[in-house]
Amino acid sequence: MSNPLSPSFTSLLGRLDTDGDSAVVASLAAVPAGDGLWRVVYGSVLIGPAQMAAVCWLDWRADNGDGWALQHRHALAHSGVELGQYSRFTTIDGDWLLARVPLTSAGGPHERAGQWMEQLVTTGVRVNDAQGMEHIVRAELAPADTLALASRWMRAGLHQLTQAAARPVHGYRFPVVNLPAPLPDLPDVWPAGSRHLATPLSTLTGFTAHNGQAPTPAVAVARLRRTAWFSDVRVDALVHADIVLDSGRTSPASLEVDLEEFTDDGLVQARRLRLSDLALSSQTAERITVVLPTLGAGLRRQLRLYDRGGRLLDSLDASYFVERVVVTASTPEGLTTTTSVGSSPAIVDAVTRLSSLDVAEAEYTRMLEEGLAHRIADDPATARDILRDLLEQARGQLLVLDPYFGHKVDDWEVLRRASVPVRVLTAHKKRGQRITPVASPAANLYAHLPSLTIRSWDPGTQKVPWHDRVYIWEQGGLSVGTSPSGLGRRQARIDHISPTEAAAWYVRFNCWWNDIHSAHVL
């Protein structure tokens, strides 16, 4: 591997888009190289939220909804193991050195990750164990092949090095070269002083075996995804997909879920749902559960999560789910007891599959029709509440583009729950030859906002250059068929717009905002 701080490597780090991240954590598994040195076999440098550096990987995984980690955290706590000591540690376990090191040097995430990687491949990084003994760890790395996406649901090389992230990561895998052969077996117990508990190595470092196979030796440099990801997927008569969102970066309405189901003969069902088409308003903005129809037992299922711009956020590889467990126990006297959990295997043929497909189609139709109440505004008693709830999800700043906004007091009510700076571009009211600018709202209608700025287009010399009502914010927005005061009086639609369209409206908004025909109001 070339010098990690070379222009090419700096460019690689730049593609990780670390804006808003503040923690960088390095994890290592190394073997002896002679002369007191250690050679890295597996490594990761993960960039993510600040809390990631303050807790051990097991706590981080459990706090992010990893069921396996929750169970093992409970078992270790019951055994008296204090997990706090493993947020930063170096330990020798047989032929292996294991370490987790939050990188706290000066500079941003790019600089800290780059400096640590430079030391790793040149002079070596220095880590101290609990007894204060210093160890020097080096790595010989080949170039990374490509920028890749991995998650706990995608069984790929990058995933085996970044299991600790507990969410999708975007990054690079640098293969380790020139290792001694054969490598010793990875330790499969927890090195907790005099106790050796049956908890795998992955709880310490985030490196995990798959189907009994250790990862291919490599070092991963990756950033945790910050938008949305699957936290759990369960299947009974339906598919239940739990999704965690960073509410500061996305909202349920900005997501799409794709479900594909397979038999051995091929694809039997594929559906994509825009969550903005569903009735999800009763769930929190941070965690939602999407429930989808399925064609029944004996299928492999693949789930994908996208944003409105078509970018893949997370993916579950086509997998079978456990449908029935049978346990048989025998006594020394020869008595046998069999217990089963789950439904008995059903007889499946083309007729039953087609029947299930009809049922699934009817259920999808019902779900979409229920969502119409949030998209077709035909009830004055609820329409403005729906718009107010949607505008509460605005991020960054909220731009209101509506030539009639503000001429009626009811319009300002839809901003009641907004929590970001708001700019309103409306237009003067024109009746015959009489032109009246919009009036400033009463202070109590916008006192909760960080700021409110209003400009009004004067149509006396030039017509208003837009017609539709558009609400724009970072990476999204709404298109609404009428002004808030008109919602429900005549039927109108409310629809979400894509990040690309929102960006186009943002340019137009600012152009008209700065036009000479746009007069300052507030």
Side-chain angles (χ1 to χ4, degrees):
M1 173 183 173
S2 60
N3 185 334
L5 289 186
S6 65
S8 60
F9 185 76
T10 302
S11 175
L12 294 184
L13 287 177
R15 294 296 297 271
L16 294 182
D17 182 23
T18 59
D19 178 47
D21 294 316
S22 57
V24 183
V25 177
S27 300
L28 295 171
V31 294
D35 298 326
L37 299 176
W38 295 83
R39 181 69 58 81
V40 169
V41 180
Y42 310 112
S44 69
V45 181
L46 297 182
I47 303 170
Q51 182 61 17
M52 187 178 75
V55 297
C56 72
W57 282 134
L58 185 62
D59 275 334
W60 173 258
R61 291 172 61 179
D63 293 344
N64 277 270
D66 186 324
W68 181 93
L70 283 165
Q71 294 177 7
H72 282 259
R73 179 167 70 176
H74 177 76
L76 289 166
H78 184 72
S79 300
V81 175
E82 174 53 54
L83 293 178
Q85 62 184 307
Y86 293 106
S87 62
R88 176 189 292 271
F89 76 92
T90 300
T91 190
I92 309 298
D93 189 1
D95 294 319
W96 289 85
L97 177 145
L98 311 176
R100 183 185 192 271
V101 185
L103 306 183
T104 56
S105 58
H110 285 170
E111 290 79 11
R112 279 176 278 158
Q115 290 164 8
W116 192 87
M117 289 289 288
E118 179 186 30
Q119 292 175 6
L120 184 67
V121 299
T122 54
T123 59
V125 296
R126 299 172 184 271
V127 293
N128 295 305
D129 61 26
Q131 289 71 43
M133 182 175 294
E134 183 179 78
H135 305 272
I136 300 176
V137 186
R138 293 187 68 249
E140 291 189 47
L141 305 179
D145 7 354
T146 188
L147 180 64
L149 173 69
S151 82
R152 57 185 289 201
W153 313 104
M154 301 166 65
R155 306 303 181 187
L158 190 62
H159 156 265
Q160 288 189 274
L161 300 169
T162 59
Q163 178 79 357
R167 64 172 79 172
V169 300
H170 212 203
Y172 308 95
R173 188 175 67 90
F174 296 90
V176 175
V177 296
N178 299 328
L179 284 171
L183 289 170
D185 292 336
L186 281 167
D188 58 1
V189 294
W190 184 288
S194 60
R195 296 185 180 90
H196 277 66
L197 306 171
T199 302
L201 169 67
S202 59
T203 57
L204 282 176
T205 57
F207 312 135
T208 181
H210 178 53
N211 291 335
Q213 296 294 315
T216 301
V219 174
V221 180
R223 171 185 55 79
L224 276 62
R225 271 284 168 88
R226 303 185 299 262
T227 46
W229 55 92
F230 293 124
S231 62
D232 193 21
V233 179
R234 306 173 305 283
V235 177
D236 43 37
L238 300 165
V239 176
H240 304 258
D242 295 338
I243 301 172
V244 177
L245 303 89
D246 183 338
S247 59
R249 296 179 179 273
T250 191
S251 65
S254 301
L255 303 177
E256 300 179 0
V257 174
D258 179 282
L259 170 65
E260 297 180 358
E261 297 188 297
F262 300 84
T263 65
D264 292 338
D265 294 326
L267 179 67
V268 293
Q269 178 183 218
R271 291 297 296 253
R272 178 179 286 196
L273 283 178
R274 293 172 51 184
L275 300 195
S276 60
D277 290 345
L278 306 180
L280 294 174
S281 58
S282 61
Q283 303 193 49
T284 68
E286 289 77 25
R287 293 180 182 270
I288 60 172
T289 298
V290 180
V291 182
L292 303 170
T294 173
L295 298 194
L299 298 172
R300 288 180 296 121
R301 297 176 178 87
Q302 176 170 282
L303 275 169
R304 296 182 184 272
L305 181 65
Y306 294 89
D307 66 14
R308 282 293 303 275
R311 183 178 58 163
L312 180 65
L313 302 178
D314 201 358
S315 177
L316 167 69
D317 288 343
S319 306
Y320 288 106
F321 287 77
V322 176
E323 296 171 356
R324 189 166 187 251
V325 177
V326 179
V327 178
T328 301
S330 299
T331 68
E333 293 77 21
L335 297 175
T336 300
T337 302
T338 300
T339 302
S340 65
V341 177
S343 56
S344 299
I347 298 175
V348 178
D349 56 23
V351 174
T352 57
R353 286 285 188 230
L354 289 173
S355 176
S356 297
L357 183 61
D358 290 340
V359 172
E361 287 292 334
E363 179 62 14
Y364 277 116
T365 299
R366 181 194 65 78
M367 294 165 62
L368 294 172
E369 288 178 345
E370 283 186 355
L372 291 178
H374 294 267
R375 299 180 59 206
I376 299 178
D378 56 5
D379 183 353
T382 60
R384 280 195 292 273
D385 289 339
I386 291 171
L387 181 56
R388 182 167 56 238
D389 290 345
L390 292 171
L391 295 182
E392 185 181 4
Q393 301 173 12
R395 301 176 301 278
Q397 65 173 329
L398 172 60
L399 310 183
V400 179
L401 185 63
D402 179 345
Y404 301 99
F405 194 96
H407 287 283
K408 294 187 177 180
V409 174
D410 291 349
D411 292 338
W412 299 104
E413 289 293 330
V414 299
L415 303 178
R416 181 69 73 179
R417 295 180 184 168
S419 59
V420 296
V422 176
R423 287 195 285 157
V424 175
L425 182 55
T426 182
H428 295 8
K429 191 173 184 179
K430 184 177 181 181
R431 287 188 176 179
Q433 298 301 312
R434 185 182 178 188
I435 296 176
T436 308
V438 65
S440 297
N444 67 300
L445 295 177
Y446 64 88
H448 64 289
L449 295 172
S451 65
L452 172 65
T453 313
I454 306 168
R455 296 185 73 86
S456 182
W457 188 276
D458 182 354
T461 56
Q462 183 168 327
K463 290 183 178 180
V464 178
W466 74 93
H467 175 272
D468 286 10
R469 286 72 162 172
V470 182
Y471 299 82
I472 313 155
W473 56 79
E474 184 179 309
Q475 294 292 306
L478 299 171
S479 173
V480 182
T482 187
S483 299
S485 54
L487 283 171
R489 296 182 180 179
R490 290 186 294 176
Q491 296 194 14
R493 69 191 301 264
I494 301 174
D495 197 14
H496 290 261
I497 59 178
S498 69
T500 302
E501 184 178 349
W505 280 112
Y506 178 84
V507 172
R508 288 163 172 78
F509 181 97
N510 283 316
C511 177
W512 296 325
W513 181 269
N514 295 312
D515 193 279
I516 58 173
H517 299 92
S518 174
H520 177 77
V521 176
L522 179 67

